Amino acid sequence: MTRVSVLSDQNESHSHAGEEESESTQHQMIEIEDEDSKSPTQKTKDLEVCVPIVYGTISFWLGRKANETQTHTWTVYVRGATNEDLGVVIKKVVFQLHPSFTNARRVVESPPFVLTERGWGEFEIAISIFFHDDVCDKQLDLFHHLKLYSESEQGLSTKKPVVVESYDEIVFTDPSEEFLARVLNHPSVIVPPLPATLNLPPAPIEDVHEKKRGDTKDHPLGQWFIRFSEADELLKLAEARQQVQNYILKLRRRLSMLEGSSPTVKANVS
């Protein structure tokens, strides 16, 4: 059986409205099992392919254009963590909106997997990701809360949106050789070093001139996307380490002052 593991970083959800805010959570693993009998292609053993994704929403207040039923315009999406095209892995994405919307089940069948709407209320959006046949037969279900109002005290703004994004890593264990051949050199997929004895089938040749561009590198909302990278995480760790060191230094200074002002402490130390 093939296991598709999703390493959810729900506590590594990041949000910002003008200024970034972040929260940390524990990793949780979601497993989707697929029967071998449904896959005619040969499987590779003891290999894992990782696809980093980001899903979230960006909402703008409409200002003077707002009315009782439409106060914000917002966009929900699933994108590559580095804004690369996810179409090599993902076949389609279904966004399940609040029942009050006309045609609440929205299907985006090609990348970029983006949907824009208008409304007045916050609600939970169900996001169902469907993979290509040689990737996985099971869908992946995620949930994201649409946020229209910032928790900061800056108030409503038509220029600074409310951005809420979550970073996940989809890990495909024992991928098919056909899938592996297609994504071997694709920038949105992390492929480990392959055994020298592994002979993959030839990858299909795509016409880059006819293929629709599916990345989000030049998306109109791209300036508001949060950057998720190892460098960013290392910088955050370094900042946290510096804060801890500063706190320890402050405690040592206070302890030194207490020792200098207390004869009892001096006697005990000597």
Side-chain angles (χ1 to χ4, degrees), residues 28-270:
Q28 52 182 320
M29 180 176 289
I30 306 171
E31 295 185 359
I32 305 175
E33 294 187 347
D34 189 18
E35 297 180 2
D36 282 347
S37 58
K38 294 182 180 181
S39 177
T41 58
Q42 184 70 27
K43 300 291 184 178
T44 57
K45 299 299 182 182
D46 302 324
L47 284 178
E48 290 185 344
V49 172
C50 178
V51 182
I53 67 167
V54 174
Y55 59 97
T57 51
I58 297 179
S59 60
F60 285 89
W61 180 50
L62 292 176
R64 294 181 179 179
K65 297 180 180 179
N67 54 47
E68 292 184 357
T69 60
Q70 294 185 351
T71 60
H72 291 75
T73 178
W74 51 264
T75 300
V76 59
Y77 48 86
V78 176
R79 64 179 179 88
T82 55
N83 293 309
E84 299 291 350
D85 189 347
L86 292 176
V88 70
V89 177
I90 298 176
K91 183 178 181 180
K92 66 179 179 179
V93 175
V94 178
F95 299 99
Q96 185 66 45
L97 308 183
H98 191 272
S100 60
F101 283 86
T102 303
N103 185 23
R105 185 178 184 271
R106 308 291 178 86
V107 182
V108 181
E109 296 185 341
S110 62
F113 302 104
V114 179
L115 174 67
T116 299
E117 259 292 356
R118 288 191 175 192
W120 60 269
E122 299 181 348
F123 60 92
E124 187 176 64
I125 302 175
I127 304 174
S128 297
I129 298 177
F130 294 82
F131 304 102
H132 290 293
D133 294 340
D134 62 344
V135 179
C136 181
D137 291 333
K138 300 294 184 179
Q139 70 188 57
L140 172 63
D141 295 320
L142 303 171
F143 297 91
H144 178 81
H145 186 78
L146 170 63
K147 192 172 183 180
L148 303 182
Y149 301 95
S150 171
E151 296 179 358
S152 67
E153 298 178 356
Q154 296 178 354
L156 295 172
S157 172
T158 58
K159 296 182 178 180
K160 294 182 179 180
V162 176
V163 183
V164 181
E165 292 190 329
S166 296
Y167 172 90
D168 280 342
E169 293 178 354
I170 308 177
V171 180
F172 298 95
T173 302
D174 299 341
S176 69
E177 292 184 355
E178 180 182 348
F179 170 45
L180 197 58
R182 287 197 302 105
V183 303
L184 186 58
N185 297 310
H186 199 280
S188 68
V189 182
I190 301 175
V191 179
L194 302 179
T197 57
L198 181 61
N199 294 319
L200 296 177
I205 300 176
E206 297 180 346
D207 190 337
V208 295
H209 299 287
E210 294 184 0
K211 182 181 178 182
K212 177 183 176 182
R213 184 173 176 179
D215 62 64
T216 52
K217 292 182 178 181
D218 297 324
H219 193 275
L221 299 177
Q223 62 175 316
W224 304 109
F225 290 160
I226 301 173
R227 292 180 298 175
F228 294 88
S229 68
E230 292 183 2
D232 293 336
E233 296 306 316
L234 290 175
L235 180 59
K236 291 177 184 178
L237 289 174
E239 292 176 350
R241 187 182 299 110
Q242 186 62 44
Q243 291 179 1
V244 172
Q245 291 176 348
N246 292 340
Y247 184 68
I248 292 175
L249 181 60
K250 183 178 180 180
L251 290 178
R252 287 178 177 174
R253 288 176 179 174
R254 292 182 60 184
L255 180 59
S256 178
M257 292 176 61
L258 290 174
E259 290 178 345
S261 61
S262 175
T264 304
V265 173
K266 282 186 177 181
N268 291 336
V269 172
S270 59

